[in-house]
């Protein structure tokens, strides 16, 4: 932006993302001044999106998940990391079993309809629960771009985590379809996998709604129970270390 920069999701945080951005020359200075203010926005608090928030001075998250972030709740952050997923450990002797999302105090709590102003562009907050209770999308209306986090990406949508809710996900998918019907989105930048367009967005959202029937709810309930137990055991082990 012309007045402020924003980072949408921050990864695991095994290394400092702000340091990388500065070293790579990606944080251009404001005209006649120092670097522009930098805001880190978490689309939700799951560990692979929020672990790096600790390295930022300004942090924004939806109010529904602010308390979990502030207390370092690795159950709600669904922290589950293995050594094979880490290409290069941050330091000698480090193990994925040591990883956890640290407590971070948000400097801004987001709600539906809030606008994050970067100067020459505006990002509108859309609360889209389902994957998690505080999941958001950021909508650049002028450019018709949707930063969708894990609300939707070109893959199977996950709705079986402890704070997932199928009925919320269906409602969020209906909103996504409405964005396409109204011609408000042409490009989706998701939290995982590839960028895609409006037609694919409509198909992904409508396909989820079509399969979210009784049988899906039963199988999802079973998966959620298993995931919940596994996460609680993992977090007990982390806490006792």
């Amino acid at each position: 932006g012309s007045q402020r920069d924003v980072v949408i999701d921050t990864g695991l945080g095994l290394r400092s993302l702000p340091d990388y951005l500065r070293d790579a020359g990606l944080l251009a200075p404001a005209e006649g001044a120092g670097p522009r203010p930098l805001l880190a926005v978490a689309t939700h608090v799951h560990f692979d999106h929020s672990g790096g928030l600790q390295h930022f001075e300004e942090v924004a998250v939806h109010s529904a998940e602010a308390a979990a972030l502030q207390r370092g709740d690795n159950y709600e952050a669904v922290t589950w990391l293995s050594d094979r997923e880490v290409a290069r450990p941050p330091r000698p002797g480090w193990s994925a079993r040591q990883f956890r999302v640290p407590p971070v105090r948000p400097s801004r709590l987001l709600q539906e309809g809030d606008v994050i102003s970067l100067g020459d562009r505006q990002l509108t907050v859309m609360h889209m629960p389902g994957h998690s209770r505080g999941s958001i999308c950021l909508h650049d209306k002028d450019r018709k771009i949707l930063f969708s986090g894990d609300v939707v990406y070109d893959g199977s949508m996950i709705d079986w985590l402890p704070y997932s809710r199928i009925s919320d996900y269906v409602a969020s998918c209906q909103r996504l379809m409405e964005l396409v019907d109204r011609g408000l989105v042409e490009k989706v930048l998701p939290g995982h996998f590839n960028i895609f367009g409006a037609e694919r967005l409509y198909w992904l959202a409508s396909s989820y709604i079509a399969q979210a029937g009784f049988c899906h709810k039963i199988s999802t309930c079973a998966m959620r129970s298993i995931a919940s137990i596994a996460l609680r055991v993992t977090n007990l082990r982390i806490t006792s270390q």
Side-chain angles (χ1 to χ4, degrees):
S2 59
Q3 298 177 7
R4 167 186 291 274
D5 289 332
V6 65
V7 172
I8 301 172
D9 291 335
T10 60
L12 296 172
L14 300 185
R15 294 173 181 82
S16 171
L17 181 54
D19 286 350
Y20 167 77
L21 295 173
R22 281 189 288 268
D23 293 344
L26 296 173
L27 297 179
E31 293 183 9
R36 291 186 294 262
L38 178 62
L39 174 68
V41 179
T43 60
H44 59 305
V45 299
H46 289 170
F47 74 104
D48 52 331
H49 297 256
S50 67
L53 293 175
Q54 59 179 311
H55 299 301
F56 291 81
E57 294 182 6
E58 292 188 65
V59 170
V61 68
H62 190 271
S63 60
E65 294 180 346
L69 181 63
Q70 189 165 328
R71 66 176 176 265
D73 187 339
N74 279 263
Y75 175 74
E76 185 156 355
V78 297
T79 301
W80 190 278
L81 186 66
S82 66
D83 287 318
R84 70 175 183 274
E85 295 174 294
V86 180
R88 183 163 58 92
R91 60 183 179 274
W94 182 88
S95 170
R97 289 179 298 177
Q98 302 168 355
F99 175 80
R100 65 207 65 173
V101 176
V104 174
R105 181 185 293 274
S107 53
R108 180 172 178 180
L109 303 184
L110 301 175
Q111 301 282 2
E112 168 73 26
D114 285 352
V115 175
I116 299 172
S117 177
L118 308 183
D120 59 344
R121 65 193 303 175
Q122 317 298 320
L123 301 176
T124 301
V125 175
M126 302 184 70
H127 183 208
M128 297 278 204
H131 177 69
S132 76
R133 58 182 172 179
S135 284
I136 62 170
C137 295
L138 296 176
H139 187 204
D140 185 333
K141 295 180 179 178
D142 293 336
R143 293 168 176 80
K144 298 186 178 182
I145 296 173
L146 187 72
F147 300 90
S148 66
D150 281 1
V151 173
V152 60
Y153 46 74
D154 202 353
S156 298
M157 290 186 250
I158 295 176
D159 60 2
W160 43 265
L161 296 171
Y163 289 93
S164 302
R165 188 172 179 179
I166 293 175
S167 58
D168 285 344
Y169 223 147
V170 168
S172 292
C173 284
Q174 289 170 338
R175 293 189 69 190
L176 293 173
M177 294 166 65
E178 182 182 353
L179 288 174
V180 177
D181 286 337
R182 294 170 60 192
L184 298 177
V185 172
E186 293 180 354
K187 182 184 294 185
V188 181
L189 279 64
H192 300 275
F193 310 124
N194 297 323
I195 294 170
F196 52 91
E199 184 177 347
R200 185 65 175 170
L201 173 60
Y202 193 95
W203 185 89
L204 289 165
S206 60
S207 293
Y208 178 83
I209 293 173
Q211 58 88 36
F214 178 76
C215 292
H216 177 77
K217 291 177 180 178
I218 294 297
S219 62
T220 297
C221 182
M223 292 177 66
R224 183 181 296 114
S225 298
I226 294 170
S228 180
I229 292 170
L231 283 166
R232 291 199 182 279
V233 170
T234 298
N235 279 280
L236 283 173
R237 186 176 69 241
I238 290 174
T239 304
S240 64
Q241 288 178 351

